[in-house]
Amino acid sequence: STALALSARVGVRACVSIEGGRAGAACRCLRIRVDRQGAFAMKFAMVCASNMNRSMEAHNLLKNEGLDVESYGVGSRVKMPGPTAREPNVYPFGTPYATMYEDLKRKDEALYEKNGLLKMLERNVKVKTAPQSWQENTTVMFDVVLTFDDGVFDKLMDDVQQREQKLMKSFLVINMAVKDNPKEAGRAAPLALQLCRKIEECEDWEDDIEDIVEDFTNETGRKPFYTVCFY
């Protein structure tokens, strides 16, 4: 049996509990945020490879702007540049950003201060505790998932297509290619916000998404592509 409880109070979440088995794309809990006008606000996910740079830059900005947002990585592990191309710094997902910061600082503070990794981790610590794996998320459903790389999009879609679709709740996966460096991530975050605002403010994104993407391309020169998926 399915029990659905909704409240019109600001900021509350409604939980859908489904007994026996997996719910949709391995999701047991549908979390719905209610905005101050009483309408259901959309939930966004920012996704890159390691949940370190591009997704976190966008997560930070969207969070500060009041959007309901989380972020993830699709890689098998968190990878960051090391002293050479053959010696990356590698951590399991779930390793706290603060732990990575102290580890890099101990290894070579001057190097990682110069290449911006320590600054990046300082930012990340203020956003959330640790990088999260998209594939390990089985509890949160999103309205819009934004990826920042074609390869990231492909890996995410591989995972989505392996999950059961029972709830038939649609969600949008949209890709905007961004080079994986702090400078380009900084440029892309306001564009991600702009695109998410357009989607959130439309009456029906499924009907309007083609026009939204066309307008966004005309305004920014960026050409994202998208697909519609289901939980």
Side-chain angles (χ1 to χ4, degrees):
S1 63
T2 303
L4 174 63
L6 297 180
S7 171
R9 291 176 300 168
V10 173
V12 298
R13 299 183 184 275
C15 183
V16 178
S17 60
I18 298 182
E19 298 177 1
R22 291 150 58 96
C27 295
R28 295 180 183 275
C29 184
L30 169 60
R31 302 197 298 173
I32 304 174
R33 184 169 64 88
V34 182
D35 67 16
R36 295 187 181 280
Q37 286 72 44
F40 292 132
M42 302 187 81
K43 189 167 186 65
F44 298 90
M46 305 291 107
V47 184
C48 66
S50 293
N51 198 197
M52 280 294 305
N53 179 34
R54 295 166 292 182
S55 62
M56 286 299 289
E57 184 74 29
H59 185 167
N60 184 46
L61 179 59
L62 269 64
K63 179 181 178 181
N64 289 340
E65 291 294 323
L67 277 70
D68 191 359
V69 59
E70 297 189 16
S71 61
Y72 298 89
V74 297
S76 58
R77 294 175 295 175
V78 176
K79 293 184 180 181
M80 293 184 288
T84 70
R86 295 185 177 182
E87 299 175 283
N89 290 287
V90 180
Y91 303 92
F93 277 97
T95 303
Y97 293 118
T99 300
M100 298 181 196
Y101 179 89
E102 293 300 330
D103 187 44
L104 295 186
K105 190 175 180 180
R106 176 184 57 80
K107 288 179 177 177
D108 193 332
E109 183 174 1
L111 171 63
Y112 297 118
E113 187 69 46
K114 182 178 179 179
N115 69 10
L117 283 184
L118 293 182
K119 183 178 180 180
M120 183 186 301
L121 287 164
E122 289 172 358
R123 187 253 343 258
N124 292 355
V125 166
K126 297 175 182 177
V127 178
K128 65 178 186 178
T129 302
Q132 296 170 270
S133 167
W134 168 267
Q135 291 88 338
E136 294 176 5
N137 168 43
T138 61
T139 59
V140 185
M141 296 169 66
F142 298 96
D143 299 290
V144 179
V145 179
L146 181 59
T147 61
F148 293 97
D149 181 272
D150 292 4
V152 171
F153 176 89
D154 291 342
K155 287 185 179 181
L156 185 141
M157 290 305 303
D158 286 344
D159 177 73
V160 168
Q161 291 167 5
Q162 292 177 23
R163 303 192 185 199
E164 295 181 90
Q165 301 174 357
K166 290 185 176 181
L167 299 181
M168 296 311 294
K169 177 188 183 301
S170 61
F171 67 101
L172 175 68
V173 180
I174 187 163
N175 183 70
M176 181 174 67
V178 177
K179 291 183 179 180
D180 191 9
N181 62 61
K183 184 177 181 179
E184 291 302 317
R187 290 175 175 174
L191 299 179
L193 174 63
Q194 180 180 344
L195 181 56
C196 291
R197 285 288 193 201
K198 285 180 175 291
I199 297 170
E200 187 168 51
E201 291 169 0
C202 72
E203 291 188 7
D204 187 333
W205 67 260
E206 291 188 69
D207 289 339
D208 299 339
I209 185 60
E210 186 173 347
D211 291 336
I212 290 172
V213 171
E214 183 177 353
D215 289 345
F216 178 79
T217 297
N218 291 336
E219 292 170 5
T220 66
R222 301 278 185 142
K223 297 181 179 180
F225 61 83
Y226 64 90
T227 187
V228 178
C229 302
F230 294 87
Y231 287 108

